[in-house]
Amino acid sequence: FSGVLAQDVLLALLELQEELAGTTARARGRNVTLRDVCYAPLNPAAPGVGDCAVSSVTQYFQNNRSRLALTAWQQDGKVQGTVDWHDHLIYCV
């Protein structure tokens, strides 16, 4: 993979998402955070940042840098080898 699907770009995207999730803005005299404006269909009454629906390629790794870095040994028939984030993304999409 290259371009926007390079691992360094995905890691930078995760960092940006984390920064945005922690951002606070001032509106109409009060602090507003992501929890105040996010779409949280599974917990609409009291959403936490983790409840917000995020449409991003990083969701294939649960927005988690450790999961993006995971590798595993796999045997598919006679073919053996190490699988990583590339394989996981191809499998998911």
Side-chain angles (χ1 to χ4, degrees):
F1 294 102
S2 64
V4 296
L5 290 179
Q7 188 174 24
D8 60 330
V9 174
L10 294 175
L11 289 169
L13 179 58
L14 280 170
E15 186 176 322
L16 176 61
Q17 286 176 203
E18 290 168 2
E19 186 177 327
L20 291 173
T23 300
T24 301
R26 192 100 176 125
R28 297 186 181 161
R30 71 181 198 97
N31 289 335
V32 180
T33 66
L34 178 62
R35 292 174 15 194
D36 298 310
V37 297
C38 81
Y39 174 60
L42 300 179
N43 189 10
V49 172
D51 297 318
C52 299
V54 176
S55 296
S56 171
V57 67
T58 59
Q59 271 301 113
Y60 291 109
F61 310 99
Q62 293 77 42
N63 292 318
N64 184 304
R65 144 181 316 103
S66 297
R67 292 198 172 129
L68 179 62
L70 285 176
T71 61
W73 179 256
Q74 178 175 313
Q75 180 172 348
D76 185 13
K78 294 182 180 181
V79 178
Q80 299 177 359
T82 302
V83 294
D84 62 7
W85 69 274
H86 298 94
D87 304 287
H88 180 74
L89 189 59
I90 290 169
Y91 178 79
C92 289
V93 296

